[in-house]
């Protein structure tokens, strides 16, 4: 919805430099044998935070490579179309950022 961001405006190789291009490239690789990876919504991404942990606010036994930083979700900010919601894995919680900003991505698969 709204502004989709800047295609190839960042620093990446091997795919279009936007979340849609990243998802498409990953699905072509069939990571873990699957080709239905997608961007999570705010609730899905927030559900794996662990507020008893910090920097990163997640159970590192299950998610050992998580960076204590913001991760994009698939949810645009309704009143600010150049922005989308993110989940912050330094201390937990969610916020929104401009789609031109470089944030981390964690994909999910299965139901919506």
């Amino acid at each position: 919805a709204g502004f989709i961001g800047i295609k190839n405006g960042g620093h990446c190789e091997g795919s279009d430099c936007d979340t849609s291009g990243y998802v498409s490239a990953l699905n072509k690789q069939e990571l873990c044998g699957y080709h239905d990876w997608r961007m999570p919504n705010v609730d899905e991404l927030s559900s794996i935070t662990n507020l008893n942990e910090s920097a990163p606010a997640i159970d590192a036994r299950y998610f050992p490579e998580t960076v204590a930083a913001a991760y994009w979700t698939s949810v645009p900010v309704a009143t600010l179309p150049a922005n989308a919601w993110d989940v912050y894995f330094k201390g937990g919680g969610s916020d929104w950022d401009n789609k031109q900003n470089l944030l981390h991505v964690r994909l999910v698969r299965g139901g919506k």
Side-chain angles (χ1 to χ4, degrees):
F3 175 66
I4 62 169
I6 297 176
K7 193 171 203 158
N8 292 326
H11 307 285
C12 62
E13 297 176 15
S15 71
D16 291 334
C17 199
D18 57 18
T19 55
S20 178
Y22 180 72
V23 170
S24 178
L26 194 76
N27 280 324
K28 286 179 186 174
Q29 293 177 14
E30 293 191 2
L31 182 67
C32 298
Y34 297 102
H35 55 83
D36 61 346
W37 295 97
R38 61 180 173 78
M39 294 290 295
N41 64 41
V42 177
D43 291 337
E44 289 171 321
L45 198 53
S46 294
S47 75
I48 63 172
T49 61
N50 181 344
L51 300 181
N52 293 321
E53 303 288 338
S54 64
I58 196 166
D59 189 333
R61 294 174 297 172
Y62 298 103
F63 302 99
E65 302 298 322
T66 302
V67 177
Y71 285 72
W72 285 120
T73 74
S74 62
V75 182
V77 178
T79 58
L80 301 166
N83 299 282
W85 288 95
D86 61 65
V87 173
Y88 195 50
F89 281 94
K90 184 170 184 178
S94 59
D95 198 359
W96 50 266
D97 273 285
N98 188 283
K99 293 177 184 178
Q100 294 182 34
N101 292 339
L102 300 176
L103 303 182
H104 295 270
V105 175
R106 168 163 275 135
L107 302 182
V108 298
R109 56 176 300 278
K112 290 187 179 188

